Amino acid sequence: MANYHPSDELLMQFSAGQMPNALGIMVACHLETCHHCNRRIKVYEQLGGEIMQDTAPVEVGSNVLSELLLKLDKPETEESSAQKPYASVDPRIPRPLSRFVPSYFDQLEWSGMSRSIKEFELPISDTQYSAKLYKISAGKELPVHTHKGNEFTLVMDGSFSDKAGDYHQGDFILADTQTVHQPKAADNADCICFAVLDAPLKMTGFFGRMLNPFLS
Ligand SMILES: [Zn+2]
């Protein structure tokens, strides 16, 4: 059970169907295993339905989440026809994301930001958000950094910690321009996260200045 959840604002946007992007996929991934947020989503859907009923005689779909998931599962339209759905994927990858990840985590073509920090670009970035998988080797840490915008992270395997807490599978974490942190993977396993950024990371300190060109 996750300890860190999307904000009310994000869940409201999601339940109103206003998140047709990488961030929406991340929220859907969190909802797969979070009963707490599923209950909240139901309330927002109900509220949304009532507001709509008060303002206009328009019927509102009873279950926005299942509709969105259905949409994500649908066979591709023309633009995405080159993107084949992947039949066999790592069970650690939540269903809403699995069609965008071509293989098991261990077999992905990770590119190196450094020997202990790897990334895999996801084909769901757009002009608003860039989406990646990050892998931090067991016991290793990212350079200290802050953010030019918002960075949303969903832990998919292993765990990591920073000075604000410990994060495990299913946890949904927001870091913003106020956050200066140094995530460190737990010693016992590599940590794999799904990250959605609305602006590139901004490294601080000497190593940050060295690494920054590779992160933009
Ligand atoms: Zn939740």
Side-chain angles (χ1 to χ4, degrees):
M1 175 76 189
N3 289 315
Y4 296 87
H5 307 274
S7 65
D8 288 323
E9 194 190 348
L10 285 183
L11 287 182
M12 273 185 238
Q13 281 175 19
F14 183 86
S15 70
Q18 291 171 351
M19 221 182 251
N21 50 32
L23 188 54
I25 292 174
M26 182 181 281
V27 173
C29 288
H30 175 81
L31 286 167
E32 279 231 311
T33 53
C34 186
H35 302 301
H36 171 72
C37 287
N38 272 300
R39 279 199 298 274
R40 291 160 72 203
I41 282 279
K42 292 231 162 61
V43 172
Y44 296 137
E45 281 176 12
Q46 219 166 3
L47 273 176
E50 280 162 22
I51 292 165
M52 292 294 277
Q53 270 174 6
D54 286 348
T55 52
V58 178
E59 281 211 6
V60 179
S62 61
N63 195 333
V64 176
L65 172 60
S66 0
E67 280 169 22
L68 178 71
L69 290 176
L70 266 179
K71 245 187 252 168
L72 291 171
D73 278 346
K74 258 192 198 158
E76 319 78 292
T77 49
E78 290 125 50
E79 312 128 68
S80 59
S81 59
Q83 177 81 46
K84 288 234 163 72
Y86 301 110
S88 149
V89 290
D90 201 307
R92 294 168 291 183
I93 303 170
R95 200 166 51 98
L97 184 65
S98 60
R99 62 178 302 207
F100 303 109
V101 184
S103 70
Y104 284 72
F105 283 141
D106 322 328
Q107 291 152 14
L108 284 177
E109 286 193 24
W110 295 95
S111 60
M113 289 160 72
S114 78
R115 195 177 292 180
S116 49
I117 303 158
K118 307 276 183 202
E119 63 174 29
F120 177 81
E121 198 86 36
L122 291 165
I124 49 174
S125 299
D126 57 27
T127 49
Q128 196 181 358
Y129 293 110
S130 72
K132 286 173 184 179
L133 300 181
Y134 279 103
K135 181 164 72 170
I136 312 173
S137 300
K140 300 294 180 188
E141 59 193 354
L142 281 169
V144 181
H145 65 273
T146 181
H147 306 88
K148 283 182 188 158
N150 294 311
E151 178 197 50
F152 303 88
T153 300
L154 183 81
V155 182
M156 293 203 293
D157 198 36
S159 64
F160 77 91
S161 56
D162 63 16
K163 62 184 178 199
D166 294 319
Y167 313 102
H168 300 271
Q169 199 173 32
D171 279 337
F172 185 106
I173 306 123
L174 167 63
D176 60 20
T177 52
Q178 306 303 311
T179 315
V180 178
H181 65 168
Q182 187 165 25
K184 179 178 186 293
D187 290 334
N188 60 349
D190 293 350
C191 179
I192 299 177
C193 294
F194 171 20
V196 169
L197 294 91
D198 63 6
L201 296 186
K202 191 166 114 191
M203 291 300 182
T204 59
F206 175 71
F207 287 106
R209 281 196 294 279
M210 278 177 56
L211 269 168
N212 224 9
F214 302 105
L215 291 175
S216 54

